[in-house]
Amino acid sequence: MNKSAILHIPLSQYAFATGEHNLTIRIRTGKNDLTACTLYYGDRACNCTPVRFCPLPMKSIGEDNLYTYYEANVESDYNRICYYFKLEKDEEWYYYYADQFTHKLADIKLDDHIIEGRSEYYQYPVILREEIPDVPEWFKNAIVYNIFPDSFASAKRELSGESRVVEVELGSNVQELDKVSNREGAYKTTCKSRLGGTINGIRENLDYIRNLGFTCIYLNPIFVAGESHKYDILDYFHIDPCFGTDEEFRCLVEEIHRRGMRIIIDGVFNHCSWYFFAFDDVVKNGENSRYTDWFYDLTYPVIRPEDEKDLPSYACFAYERKMPKLNTSNQEVQEYFASVCEYWLREFKVDGWRLDVANEVDRNFWRRFRQTAKKANKESVLIGEVWEDSSSWLKGDAFDSTMNYDFRKHCREFFALREIDGRSFRECMLQMYLRYPANIALGQLNLLDSHDVPRFLSLCQGDTSRYQLALVFLLMFPGVPSIFYGDEKAIQGIAESEYRSPMPWNKTEDIESLVKELIYIRKKYLKPSDAFSFRDIVECDDVICLERITDTGRILVWLNGSKESICISDSISDFISKESVLLTNGYEREELYKNSFVILFIPII
């Protein structure tokens, strides 16, 4: 037995509650090393010694190059559980608990007495309903359309393409700011747009979005800001005048809800504009400003460098001199942005926040923000922008979800760049999924594109067949799929100005109908909790077969990423017929062409 491969971590993605009397236990072992793996669980608070344990066979849920992963789902009247494992390899066997291998249980018989040792077993001390990390159910079922407002629409099926510069007055009549500043007087600055997209333009195209099948819209920043991207925010309590008015946004939210859809807005709280009222006060009053502790690393006098090559004398987002970094550990800053959170949830009824540069913000800031959000609307969703492993942010005290850039990375390396083979891709996806408790993994925001990365189709060098494979995988894999505006119309672009290019309203693409059909299949046949697995295709490493087990049957998603056609008749059941094919772009007579896919449904008989 390969003991060095064995891993179990209590109170982690290896042991987590999904309900008050439901517990999922996982263990990692050497690849194909065991012949049996059994979980024994009991009531850690029972009044008898020794504890009475119940055996539960564990099932393999997948494997990678080194390990096999086992899982068991405990449904019990107990909510305080102790447990151990029995690991078997042919005639060799061990009990495993306390990270040790033994042939003895913790309860010791001394003379005629049992000395209880229940505390030595693995423990799930108590399942508290308030501490079960989860994602709002509506979001697990969501299909998200991400809009960059400036680039989307100014009217029905139209984008003006006109840049604008609007002068705005700040500080004198913004009632919300008085809660913190009590400032007198006003000052003026400007807001810019590049392509002319508006709030009303989004509203006039809601039926286009809904008819594709999307159930949720995520908007990049919409608050008053200087640049067209709107990540340098001047006023967090009003809509940018280049986009429209507060009342036009209120109308947009109402129209979205009337269609049974949801809306998520972008929260930029790591940094602000260098003309934001608090930073402007620091520039004007220096060390005498009451806002000096709202920012990091100030050197006096605080000067806004005109030349972009000059480094600022204060901390900022990356090296963007126009975006000073906020001190989010400051309690006053936390209170201010908690009021921003509450305002848009209560007054405008938005359904959640996507949170920019989330892992550079103080954790207590997010704890305060979460408490405010859930009090205002317990079903609101909080999505952190975290590009790497997000485990520490998804424990129930910060975010419900994060932007799953690892999903994009693995898809990029396999479907677009062909830097890894299908076997490595399957292993990466399994490891990514098992990184989190299952109910949290189902709420991860999976994406191929966003406002921060080159368009996926460009990474495929314009090859729509490879791009379609990635879209199929995105819509069929567990998690919340997100599509960036215009992906359905084959927008390309490597540079920032290109991948944020105008929505090509007059362009018709096969990809658009593919997206619509995939969303239809997802809604009709799949639930978030439907189990998934990868079939190991021995004949060809570059063929992916994703299986989803549903209440009514099985979905088999075949993706041929190899350079030649393959026959899949030997890999599927004999009773598959033409009626089993839900969607394909290259499957005929049990042969799947290169860079093609087929989605099959096999009903329960």
Side-chain angles (χ1 to χ4, degrees), residues 65-269:
N65 190 44
L66 298 175
Y67 307 112
T68 295
Y69 301 87
Y70 290 88
E71 182 177 278
N73 296 301
V74 177
E75 295 184 12
S76 170
D77 292 336
Y78 314 141
N79 69 347
R80 298 169 292 189
I81 291 175
C82 56
Y83 59 96
Y84 63 92
F85 304 92
K86 185 177 182 181
L87 311 176
E88 299 177 66
K89 182 177 183 179
D90 300 323
E91 300 302 316
E92 182 184 8
W93 68 272
Y94 297 97
Y95 296 129
Y96 184 68
Y97 58 88
D99 298 344
Q100 296 180 352
F101 300 88
T102 178
H103 288 117
K104 297 180 180 179
L105 295 179
D107 300 299
I108 301 172
K109 188 171 183 179
L110 188 62
D111 297 328
D112 294 327
H113 301 283
I114 300 293
I115 308 301
E116 68 90 12
R118 68 184 70 187
S119 64
E120 298 176 32
Y121 297 117
Y122 287 121
Q123 309 285 324
Y124 201 98
V126 63
I127 301 174
L128 298 174
R129 70 175 72 93
E130 294 82 8
E131 294 184 3
I132 299 173
D134 206 351
V135 181
E137 198 63 30
W138 71 264
F139 187 68
K140 291 181 189 176
N141 286 280
I143 304 168
V144 177
Y145 192 74
N146 176 194
I147 295 175
F148 197 73
D150 181 59
S151 304
F152 187 63
S154 54
K156 188 170 184 178
R157 309 297 192 273
E158 181 183 328
L159 179 65
S160 70
E162 298 176 358
S163 62
R164 297 177 64 199
V165 178
V166 179
E167 187 174 73
V168 293
E169 187 173 82
L170 300 171
S172 62
N173 59 357
V174 183
Q175 181 181 358
E176 292 77 15
L177 298 186
D178 294 340
K179 296 176 182 177
V180 177
S181 64
N182 294 316
R183 299 177 74 247
E184 294 182 0
Y187 60 102
K188 295 180 180 180
T189 186
T190 57
C191 300
K192 301 173 187 176
S193 71
R194 183 172 72 98
L195 296 171
T198 64
I199 294 296
N200 279 340
I202 297 170
R203 180 177 57 79
E204 292 190 32
N205 289 285
L206 288 179
D207 287 338
Y208 165 81
I209 298 169
R210 184 184 64 172
N211 289 339
L212 284 172
F214 292 97
T215 64
C216 180
I217 293 173
Y218 152 44
L219 298 182
N220 291 110
I222 53 175
F223 305 143
V224 182
E227 302 298 326
S228 60
H229 53 68
K230 305 306 172 191
Y231 281 92
D232 60 330
I233 296 179
L234 294 156
D235 178 355
Y236 288 86
F237 287 93
H238 292 286
I239 299 299
D240 189 282
C242 293
F243 293 158
T245 67
D246 295 358
E247 287 308 308
E248 286 170 344
F249 179 70
R250 189 187 303 275
C251 182
L252 171 66
V253 176
E254 291 172 353
E255 287 296 307
I256 287 172
H257 288 162
R258 190 171 67 82
R259 288 167 172 80
M261 301 167 67
R262 308 271 187 154
I263 179 171
I264 295 166
I265 58 176
D266 215 324
V268 186
F269 308 129

Side-chain angles (χ1 to χ4, degrees), residues 31-32 63-66 410 414 419-431 534-545 559 561:
K31 183 177 180 179
N32 299 325
E63 61 186 36
D64 56 29
N65 190 44
L66 298 175
H410 303 323
F414 176 62
E419 292 181 346
I420 61 174
D421 62 17
R423 187 179 299 275
S424 297
F425 175 74
R426 296 193 299 269
E427 292 174 358
C428 288
M429 283 295 175
L430 178 65
Q431 291 166 354
F534 291 113
R535 290 193 170 197
D536 191 16
I537 312 302
V538 178
E539 299 83 2
C540 183
D541 282 344
D542 285 335
V543 176
I544 306 296
C545 182
L559 306 164

Side-chain angles (χ1 to χ4, degrees), residues 248-530:
E248 286 170 344
F249 179 70
R250 189 187 303 275
C251 182
L252 171 66
V253 176
E254 291 172 353
E255 287 296 307
I256 287 172
H257 288 162
R258 190 171 67 82
R259 288 167 172 80
M261 301 167 67
R262 308 271 187 154
I263 179 171
I264 295 166
I265 58 176
D266 215 324
V268 186
F269 308 129
N270 172 71
H271 51 271
C272 60
S273 167
W274 63 357
Y275 286 110
F276 179 58
F277 79 92
F279 193 77
D280 186 68
D281 194 88
V282 168
V283 171
K284 291 176 178 177
N285 298 310
E287 295 177 85
N288 295 321
S289 171
R290 62 162 293 187
Y291 302 108
T292 55
D293 195 42
W294 279 43
F295 302 94
Y296 281 107
D297 301 333
L298 298 177
T299 301
Y300 301 101
V302 178
I303 298 171
R304 302 182 182 102
E306 291 299 325
D307 191 334
E308 64 180 18
K309 296 178 182 179
D310 293 339
L311 293 177
S313 60
Y314 47 85
C316 48
F317 166 63
Y319 296 100
E320 293 289 343
R321 71 194 196 288
K322 294 184 179 181
M323 301 183 194
K325 181 174 174 58
L326 287 154
N327 177 13
T328 50
S329 63
N330 178 286
Q331 190 168 349
E332 211 174 48
V333 172
Q334 294 176 9
E335 291 174 0
Y336 176 78
F337 287 106
S339 69
V340 172
C341 171
E342 182 177 26
Y343 179 72
W344 292 98
L345 287 171
R346 287 195 186 277
E347 297 299 321
F348 290 83
K349 311 301 182 186
V350 301
D351 298 292
W353 291 89
R354 178 268 186 187
L355 303 162
D356 191 58
V357 203
N359 55 349
E360 294 185 24
V361 173
D362 182 86
R363 287 179 185 266
N364 286 326
F365 178 101
W366 291 132
R367 293 184 180 107
R368 174 69 185 277
F369 192 91
R370 181 182 181 85
Q371 289 172 357
T372 300
K374 297 301 182 179
K375 184 176 180 181
N377 176 6
K378 66 179 181 179
E379 291 298 306
S380 62
V381 67
L382 302 179
I383 308 165
E385 184 202 12
V386 182
W387 288 54
E388 61 276 358
D389 186 334
S390 306
S391 302
S392 69
W393 298 100
L394 295 169
K395 297 183 180 297
D397 62 341
F399 315 130
D400 301 304
S401 170
T402 54
M403 298 184 75
N404 197 354
Y405 277 99
D406 270 355
F407 179 93
R408 176 184 184 273
K409 179 183 73 175
H410 303 323
C411 287
R412 179 195 67 202
E413 292 178 347
F414 176 62
F415 295 115
L417 304 181
R418 301 296 169 92
E419 292 181 346
I420 61 174
D421 62 17
R423 187 179 299 275
S424 297
F425 175 74
R426 296 193 299 269
E427 292 174 358
C428 288
M429 283 295 175
L430 178 65
Q431 291 166 354
M432 179 197 74
Y433 181 83
L434 294 178
R435 183 185 294 165
Y436 310 113
N439 44 347
I440 297 300
L442 297 178
Q444 289 295 288
L445 189 70
N446 297 336
L447 67 149
L448 299 175
D449 281 327
S450 76
H451 71 287
D452 276 330
V453 293
R455 293 277 180 164
F456 200 89
L457 181 54
S458 293
L459 300 179
C460 294
Q461 297 181 322
D463 187 336
T464 56
S465 63
R466 286 155 57 185
Y467 179 46
Q468 288 180 17
L469 294 182
L471 285 171
V472 172
F473 190 83
L474 171 68
L475 270 299
M476 295 294 103
F477 193 73
V480 179
S482 175
I483 290 181
F484 198 38
Y485 83 97
D487 274 353
E488 75 279 14
K489 291 184 175 292
I491 287 183
Q492 295 194 53
I494 297 296
E496 183 179 282
S497 60
E498 295 170 339
Y499 55 75
R500 298 178 184 178
S501 62
M503 177 71 168
W505 284 109
N506 295 323
K507 188 178 181 183
T508 302
E509 290 285 339
D510 291 340
I511 295 173
E512 191 171 325
S513 59
L514 172 65
V515 168
K516 186 173 183 177
E517 290 179 280
L518 288 170
I519 292 175
Y520 172 80
I521 291 172
R522 183 182 179 93
K523 286 181 174 179
K524 180 175 180 180
Y525 291 95
L526 294 175
K527 300 195 308 294
S529 59
D530 288 339

